[in-house]
Amino acid sequence: MPLHHENRHVNSIRWQRRHIGAHTILIVWSFLVLFPLWVMIVNSFKDRLSIYQNPFWLPEKWNFSNYLAVLRDGDFINYFKNSLIVVVISLALVLLIGALAGFAFANWRSKAAHMLFFFMIAGMMFPIKIASIKLLDMMRQLRLLNSIASLIPIYTAMGIPIAVFVLTEFIKEIPIELTEAGIMDGAGRFRIFGTIIIPLIRPALATVGIYNLVPFWNDLWFPLIFITDERSKTLLLGVTRLFGQYQTDWSKVLAVLTLSAIPVIALYLAMSKQFIAGLTAGAVKG
């Protein structure tokens, strides 16, 4: 066998071994991620006794009464609406402020800009929960307690640091010639931002949106601190009503959690291509 054919064969074997190892890791990781979802979904269609008898397999008899009870008797629709309003407004503000700040930092080259940029992304290093007592006092002074409006500025502040960091670096990769061409055509800064920058950073916007969606939607800490009014409770805070002192109806709890996971999964599936493009942007040259 010629030497170059032998080397090609050896390289092919090495390539296959590397890919077999990578695929094995991905399969194991996928199982670890999907297994809790499987347990949650299949048990949401069981009664309380069936959950304890066979928690990991399909129900012998599919029980849809859990979902009907949650939708009919509980305040699930109201909780869902409150969570949806808070998350949509918060994400919109995070993306808008982050994109505007990223556009400014990408074009403003000075020591003051660098200092302000690092000041803003410093929020990524400090969890906002350490200021819970002060935030509670601020919301009390603003008369926002027991209102979903109290959560919007908190979530916006939580999401801005990572949004500014990701979008600034993404905008810096856009060729400066595009902006200069817009200026030569008489376009102002806001027109350049809306017609040139925004279409090009959609993958980064999707990445930031999905990255912040999960902690916003699943947050229980701040609703638990700020909200006691039943009408203003968010979805996960409303789930706590199903936990009793002596017993808990886990079938209904899992039904609510399954329904609450649908928006996150649906958004990810709808924006998965943009999300993956944003994560891999710049990873491959040429």
Side-chain angles (χ1 to χ4, degrees), residues 105 113-123 125:
F105 284 127
H114 287 297
M115 292 178 61
L116 185 58
F117 175 74
F118 285 116
F119 174 78
M120 293 191 70
I121 66 173
M125 296 179 281

Side-chain angles (χ1 to χ4, degrees), residues 132-151 154 222-229 232:
S132 296
I133 297 176
K134 184 61 178 178
L135 291 172
L136 177 62
D137 184 57
M138 290 173 60
M139 294 303 155
R140 182 183 59 80
Q141 294 180 13
L142 294 171
R143 301 181 183 276
L144 292 178
L145 290 181
N146 282 325
S147 168
I148 58 175
S150 63
L151 301 174
I154 302 297
F222 288 108
L224 189 63
I225 295 174
F226 295 160
I227 298 174
T228 57
D229 186 3
S232 299

Side-chain angles (χ1 to χ4, degrees), residues 157-227:
M158 286 171 55
I160 284 178
I162 185 65
V164 171
F165 175 72
V166 172
L167 296 176
T168 298
E169 298 304 317
F170 206 95
I171 293 174
K172 284 182 179 179
E173 297 297 323
I174 297 176
I176 191 65
E177 289 80 10
L178 294 176
T179 303
E180 292 176 348
I183 295 174
M184 293 179 64
D185 289 339
R189 290 290 182 182
F190 284 102
R191 185 177 177 185
I192 292 173
F193 176 77
T195 59
I196 299 177
I197 302 300
I198 290 297
L200 293 175
I201 64 171
R202 284 178 181 172
L205 291 173
T207 302
V208 172
I210 294 177
Y211 184 88
N212 285 304
L213 171 67
V214 176
F216 291 0
W217 187 264
N218 292 334
D219 181 50
L220 181 61
W221 179 262
F222 288 108
L224 189 63
I225 295 174
F226 295 160
I227 298 174

